[in-house]
Amino acid sequence: EAAVTQSPRSKVAVTGGKVTLSCHQTNNHDYMYWYRQDTGHGLRLIHYSYVADSTEKGDIPDGYKASRPSQENFSLILELASLSQTAVYFCASSDATIQAPLFGEGTRLSVL
Amino acid sequence: SQWGEENLQALSIQEGEDVTMNCSYKTYTTVVHWYRQDSGRGPALIILIRSNEREKRSGRLRATLDTSSQSSSLSITAAQCEDTAVYFCATSSSSFSKLVFGQGTSLSVVP
């Protein structure tokens, strides 16, 4: 069964600390994405990748880095977490044929 | 922004009623995705309509796309309590599905 697994599911971080969110997909998809959702709003694209060892900036990349070490894994890194990065983060994967991303369950990040 | 008027809204209807949610977009798009998001879950694709289609049906769902007015709608027939969720439209303008999401509609279906 197609799946996108995110870890952790929730995290509390301190301002200025480093945070790494992980995503693993078993769908054999080439494309992976990181989205951010703020309460009561839609999702906004942070970074994406269409092949291992390569990442691209999305619409709101500032303050975030991404890493795609393999086809299955895609990480989002906050080097210096800030209060404004408190949000729910979603990872997704898709292939070129269907082009409809399959989303994970999300990671709720609170920066204090 | 990809989006025209904000389409964030909250709708409350009774079970058995029909409901239509609308979204409009400003830039060229080849595909409109409609996702539903249950509380505490990730978005899940429910219907996808391409620019060469005017209407798409899936069970009680019906999506329309009017490329001339750059708008899309999602209708649910005979809504049920389990249809309660937030519904998002999202557009893609290329073969690579870098989706741009709208604000969403929070639908509440009450008995």
Side-chain angles (χ1 to χ4, degrees), chain B residues 21-95:
Chain B
M21 292 164 272
N22 299 295
C23 76
S24 59
Y25 54 91
K26 292 197 292 187
T27 59
Y28 172 76
T29 187
T30 58
V31 186
V32 174
H33 300 71
W34 283 92
Y35 281 81
R36 72 171 275 168
Q37 185 176 27
D38 295 302
S39 180
R41 305 291 300 276
L45 180 72
I46 52 175
I47 198 166
L48 180 155
I49 183 166
R50 301 185 185 280
S51 57
N52 62 350
E53 301 172 307
R54 292 184 61 84
E55 179 181 293
K56 189 83 165 284
R57 291 180 184 267
S58 177
R60 294 184 293 107
L61 304 178
R62 172 179 175 261
T64 66
L65 177 59
D66 184 342
T67 54
S68 62
S69 65
Q70 296 185 306
S71 63
S72 178
S73 71
L74 174 71
S75 299
I76 302 176
T77 301
Q80 301 172 5
C81 291
E82 50 264 39
D83 295 324
T84 293
V86 178
Y87 292 82
F88 293 99
C89 58
T91 63
S92 173
S93 60
S94 69
S95 60

Side-chain angles (χ1 to χ4, degrees), chain A residues 33 37 41 48 99 101 105, chain B residues 33 35 37 41 96-97 103:
Chain A
Y33 318 77
Q37 184 176 36
H41 293 275
Y48 62 97
Q99 299 176 27
E105 294 297 288
Chain B
H33 300 71
Y35 281 81
Q37 185 176 27
R41 305 291 300 276
F96 164 63
S97 69
Q103 294 297 315

Side-chain angles (χ1 to χ4, degrees), chain A residues 19-35:
Chain A
V19 176
T20 300
L21 307 182
S22 300
C23 179
H24 178 79
Q25 55 108 349
T26 58
N27 312 316
N28 199 33
H29 287 166
D30 288 327
Y31 304 116
M32 295 189 74
Y33 318 77
W34 277 105
Y35 282 88

